[in-house]
Amino acid sequence: MADTIKDAPLKAVQLEALVVMKIIKHCSQTFPTTATGFLVGMDKAANLEITNSFPFPTVEVPPTDGHHDNNAASNLAAAAPRAKANASYQNEMIKKLREVNVDANNTGWYTSANLGNFVNLNMIENQHFYQKELNERTVALIHDVSRSSQGSLSLRAFRLSPSFMIAYKEAKFTTESLQKSNLRYQDILLELPVQIHNSHLLTSFLHSMPSPVPSAEAQESQPPTIASLAKTPDPLSPNFSSLNLSIDPFLTQTTDLLLESIETHHTELNNYQYYQRQLAREQTKITAWQAKRKSENASRALAKQTPLPEDEWQRLFKLPQEPGRLDTLLNSRQVEQYARQVDGFAAGVTGKMFAVRGNLLPGAGEP
């Protein structure tokens, strides 16, 4: 029975409200530097319950030429989940939690992101380390600080798919291996629904909190009856903020990041095309050499001489090495992530532009 429960795939991730608050606080304090930490909890059948979280110790980067390098600090923080020192720190923390009878099973790790920029090699290596070395039933929580600053909490849970785990273990991301495994960029990550849970004691406390008493001015400004509301000359003040035609700055930044990812994709494509041209050139030389050697051996056979070896081309010619396709897969998955964000941001802006297109485009409003 225990093996059946363990083999059941995860269907959802349940977060305690305390974990959500701790992750938000940690990621907001270190922004724009990447923040990372580990998660503890328990595995209940198909649900992963996360009850606590702890940030990894920060590593101070010495300033160079009097300037603090934020990129170096972000790189160190992004690689922190798989560092040996942090693994020892995590094991010691779990040991202490078990001594006080607290849920202390390894359930994954979390990291911060900026405008959905989290599909990278560090994230893949960290999650592969957790799913392979520590606990197979672990997740990666991604908290988007920029998206959450708009008032909507962005907290997502991901796992590496079984097919990608097998391909990453073999470390072969060539065109031939991808065709055999039928691995696509959509198959890299599996997203799980996230549920936020409050204990019954906390829920009772929230319901018992007294609601704030409205001030005297607010009470006077509110009409006491429906009849008085009808007599008011202007019962509903107009809201002109919805008529603002300025483009959301988050949409602009996400579009810029999308263009950068597309340029990276074209660079990877050009590198692969260059490899194909080099390979075709070398194969043409090898074919010509083999034809020449066969002709020589035919002449030597007529002269009753010993034929020359025909596999000598392996020593004379060196085929170019195919570039890895992992970066291309990750970049394609990141492009998809940006495209979805642009689709979400552009919904409100597109409606406004269509409403006023007659004033923006000459002749658009004419029948």
Side-chain angles (χ1 to χ4, degrees):
M1 181 66 180
D3 295 338
T4 304
I5 294 176
K6 185 176 180 180
D7 294 338
L10 293 176
K11 295 183 180 179
V13 177
Q14 179 177 294
L15 295 177
E16 293 294 330
L18 174 64
V19 178
V20 177
M21 298 303 295
K22 291 176 70 174
I23 292 176
I24 293 175
K25 181 180 179 182
H26 181 210
C27 297
S28 301
Q29 288 178 344
T30 60
F31 186 79
T33 305
T34 304
T36 52
F38 67 96
L39 308 169
V40 294
M42 66 174 56
D43 182 10
K44 279 190 176 182
N47 294 330
L48 191 65
E49 298 182 0
I50 300 176
T51 57
N52 213 334
S53 66
F54 299 93
F56 286 118
T58 57
V59 179
E60 295 293 336
V61 180
T64 56
D65 299 333
H67 299 284
H68 185 70
D69 192 356
N70 290 329
N71 293 330
S74 296
N75 293 334
L76 287 175
R82 62 182 186 276
K84 293 183 178 180
N86 289 331
S88 302
Y89 166 78
Q90 183 174 348
N91 294 332
E92 186 67 21
M93 181 66 71
I94 291 177
K95 180 181 177 181
K96 298 295 183 183
L97 291 174
R98 286 176 178 171
E99 292 178 357
V100 294
N101 198 21
V102 178
D103 299 336
N105 296 326
N106 196 323
T107 55
W109 61 289
Y110 70 86
T111 183
S112 61
N114 181 21
L115 291 175
N117 186 15
F118 62 88
V119 186
N120 49 48
L121 192 57
N122 275 324
M123 187 264 186
I124 298 299
E125 290 180 351
N126 291 337
Q127 184 59 22
H128 179 267
F129 171 76
Y130 270 78
Q131 287 189 214
K132 179 184 176 183
E133 302 292 341
L134 301 181
N135 183 9
E136 196 277 331
R137 299 171 71 83
T138 54
V139 296
L141 285 181
I142 310 296
H143 174 56
D144 197 327
V145 182
S146 300
R147 190 72 180 270
S148 300
S149 63
Q150 293 183 303
S152 177
L153 177 63
S154 177
L155 197 60
R156 306 169 67 184
F158 293 95
R159 282 172 49 83
L160 296 180
S161 64
S163 58
F164 183 81
M165 288 288 294
I166 296 175
Y168 195 85
K169 181 180 179 180
E170 296 176 354
K172 291 182 179 180
F173 288 95
T174 59
T175 303
E176 182 180 359
S177 62
L178 293 179
Q179 289 177 349
K180 289 182 179 179
S181 61
N182 197 21
L183 182 64
R184 305 172 301 167
Y185 69 89
Q186 297 96 332
D187 303 328
I188 297 177
L189 297 175
L190 299 177
E191 186 172 3
L192 301 176
V194 176
Q195 304 171 355
I196 299 178
H197 175 262
N198 285 328
S199 64
H200 297 296
L201 182 61
L202 179 57
T203 304
S204 301
F205 172 73
L206 293 176
H207 283 290
S208 63
M209 292 181 63
S211 58
V213 180
S215 61
E217 296 180 358
Q219 292 180 354
E220 293 178 359
S221 61
Q222 295 178 358
T225 61
I226 299 180
S228 60
L229 178 62
K231 295 179 181 179
T232 306
D234 189 12
L236 298 177
S237 58
N239 183 13
F240 295 104
S241 60
S242 58
L243 301 179
N244 188 7
L245 297 179
S246 62
I247 299 178
D248 193 342
F250 289 96
L251 174 60
T252 305
Q253 297 176 17
T254 305
T255 306
D256 292 338
L257 293 174
L258 176 60
L259 292 177
E260 292 179 5
S261 298
I262 293 176
E263 291 178 0
T264 304
H265 177 75
H266 282 297
T267 302
E268 295 288 340
L269 183 61
N270 291 334
N271 293 336
Y272 186 74
Q273 290 176 348
Y274 176 76
Y275 155 76
Q276 288 181 320
R277 291 193 297 268
Q278 289 289 101
L279 180 62
R281 192 177 298 115
E282 292 297 324
Q283 287 178 342
T284 303
K285 293 180 181 179
I286 293 172
T287 303
W289 184 90
Q290 289 176 338
K292 182 179 178 182
R293 178 54 58 92
K294 288 181 179 180
S295 177
E296 292 177 356
N297 287 336
S299 301
R300 294 175 68 90
L302 293 176
K304 297 182 180 181
Q305 297 178 354
T306 305
L308 299 175
E310 296 186 1
D311 59 350
E312 195 176 356
W313 66 269
Q314 299 178 0
R315 181 178 58 85
L316 299 175
F317 298 94
K318 185 177 181 181
L319 294 177
Q321 186 176 3
E322 181 180 356
R325 309 294 290 167
L326 177 59
D327 292 338
T328 304
L329 288 175
L330 296 180
N331 187 70
S332 299
R333 179 63 177 81
Q334 185 63 69
V335 168
E336 181 189 25
Q337 174 65 29
Y338 286 146
R340 291 180 178 178
Q341 291 181 183
V342 169
D343 186 24
F345 282 127
V349 178
T350 305
K352 297 177 185 178
M353 293 303 176
F354 271 104
V356 297
R357 61 178 179 176
N359 296 330
L360 296 177
L361 300 176
E366 297 179 359

